[in-house]
Amino acid sequence: MQKRTLAAAALLATTVSFAAPVFAQDTDAGQTVVATVDGTPITQEELQDTVDQFKGQFGQMPEDQMRAIALSSLVDMKLISDAAKDEGLDQTDAFKTRMEHLEQQELYNAYFDQMINAQITDDMLKARYDEEIAKAPKTEEVHARHILVDNEEEANEIIKELDNGADFAELAKEHSTGPSGPDGGDLGYFTKGQMVPAFEDAAFALEPGKYTETPVKSDFGYHVIEVEDKREKPPVPFDQIKPQLQQLVAGEKYNEAVNALKGDDTVVIEDKDLQASYDAVNKMQQQ
């Protein structure tokens, strides 16, 4: 059914231009009946849900075409489902078992959405953010510039120019062979572990406003380094990390909810090996 619908939808999208259909209006827009199939209504809400599902598959398709394709899919689905009922397919054990599984999945999703996610407020997330930031280790970072040249002699000449009052950024633009040269050698802020050891040791040893008095050798050549600023690395902004915090808090609340529902004899597993694996998985999920 799905493959046929998607194939038909793709064909319609490339061959037919649709006008936006005119539908009857109702006081409740979501329950507006946009079509009927053998007397069974298709509502605006159903149509919009189907449009939303198709959007990821058809990209920038015009909205009127998307609605028409979605309506075609819903019409096909209702016709086939009615035909399936006429054949008694909804009365088979396999169908009933599958419907039970689908019901459990949807109830699980509904519980997670309404009893866990919906209970998490911005204030709760902000409090958790402050808690995590408070216990996070403090990290120092420096803002530095450098001038990279091929030989030690040239590096020493640059240091002499700096001693005579030359501007570091202008010298970097003129002499540096590194990619930051056009930007005055600006490397921005960095923490320990981001640069090669010799460069990093020299940079973190400098005070703001100072430059290296001797060239620093690395595999890239010879560096003259100037440190503009040192500071404690600022935390990731709340808005940037909010989705991860939402997942973290939701996971914790989920575990709390599940543990509260499990009694000593709620879950009985007959296979001892499977019991051991189950316990190991649950222990890992609680961490």
Side-chain angles (χ1 to χ4, degrees):
M1 164 63 186
Q2 184 181 16
K3 289 182 179 179
R4 179 197 174 282
T5 301
L6 293 180
L11 179 61
L12 285 169
T14 56
T15 60
V16 182
S17 176
F18 297 97
V22 178
F23 302 123
Q25 296 298 310
D26 199 337
T27 54
D28 185 347
Q31 296 306 310
T32 298
V33 175
V34 299
T36 59
V37 180
D38 209 11
T40 301
I42 296 175
T43 66
Q44 171 63 29
E45 183 177 19
E46 288 181 280
L47 180 61
Q48 188 58 50
D49 285 345
T50 307
V51 168
D52 292 341
Q53 292 173 26
F54 280 173
K55 280 181 178 177
Q57 302 173 41
F58 295 103
Q60 301 302 314
M61 180 183 293
E63 185 74 14
D64 58 342
Q65 291 189 15
M66 191 83 72
R67 285 167 59 83
I69 290 171
L71 181 58
S72 176
S73 175
L74 285 171
V75 168
D76 288 357
M77 183 170 64
K78 291 193 180 289
L79 287 171
I80 294 297
S81 63
D82 287 346
K85 287 181 180 179
D86 290 342
E87 296 293 334
L89 299 182
D90 58 331
Q91 299 303 314
T92 64
D93 291 340
F95 179 81
K96 291 178 180 179
T97 299
R98 186 178 180 191
M99 291 303 296
E100 288 177 3
H101 291 164
L102 290 173
E103 181 183 35
Q104 289 178 7
Q105 291 174 13
E106 288 305 312
L107 286 171
Y108 175 97
N109 292 336
Y111 186 93
F112 199 95
D113 287 341
Q114 298 177 33
M115 306 305 294
I116 296 177
N117 276 334
Q119 307 301 317
I120 300 174
T121 65
D122 279 357
D123 287 343
M124 292 171 57
L125 295 179
K126 186 62 169 64
R128 184 56 180 270
Y129 172 81
D130 293 338
E131 177 186 333
E132 295 295 329
I133 293 303
K135 67 183 182 183
K138 308 305 179 185
T139 304
E140 184 183 36
E141 62 180 4
V142 299
H143 180 192
R145 295 178 182 270
H146 81 137
I147 301 171
L148 176 64
V149 293
D150 296 331
N151 58 77
E152 187 175 10
E153 181 180 0
E154 185 177 1
N156 280 318
E157 288 298 323
I158 289 170
I159 291 173
K160 287 180 182 179
E161 291 190 55
L162 290 170
D163 290 340
N164 290 327
D167 182 77
F168 194 98
E170 292 304 317
L171 289 177
K173 292 177 183 178
E174 182 180 352
H175 297 285
S176 184
T177 62
S180 65
D183 295 323
D186 193 357
L187 297 172
Y189 283 95
F190 55 89
T191 58
K192 289 183 177 180
Q194 292 185 263
M195 301 294 179
V196 295
F199 186 100
E200 179 180 286
D201 291 344
F204 277 89
L206 290 170
E207 292 300 319
K210 301 295 184 181
Y211 54 84
T212 49
E213 297 179 355
T214 58
V216 177
K217 188 179 185 304
S218 76
D219 292 340
F220 301 101
Y222 291 84
H223 307 262
V224 181
I225 307 167
E226 179 185 56
V227 167
E228 293 197 347
D229 186 31
K230 281 186 177 180
R231 69 181 186 185
E232 183 179 291
K233 185 178 181 180
V236 178
F238 171 72
D239 288 340
Q240 185 175 330
I241 203 173
K242 182 179 175 181
Q244 291 92 322
L245 287 170
Q246 173 78 29
Q247 291 180 353
L248 175 65
V249 174
E252 292 173 348
K253 289 191 171 297
Y254 171 83
N255 287 333
E256 290 174 3
V258 171
N259 289 335
L261 294 170
K262 289 179 181 177
D264 292 338
D265 57 354
T266 302
V267 180
V268 179
I269 301 174
E270 304 296 342
D271 187 307
K272 292 184 178 180
D273 291 336
L274 184 57
Q275 175 75 63
S277 298
Y278 172 84
D279 291 341
V281 167
N282 275 269
K283 184 178 180 180
M284 180 177 63
Q285 291 175 339
Q286 299 300 319
Q287 295 176 349

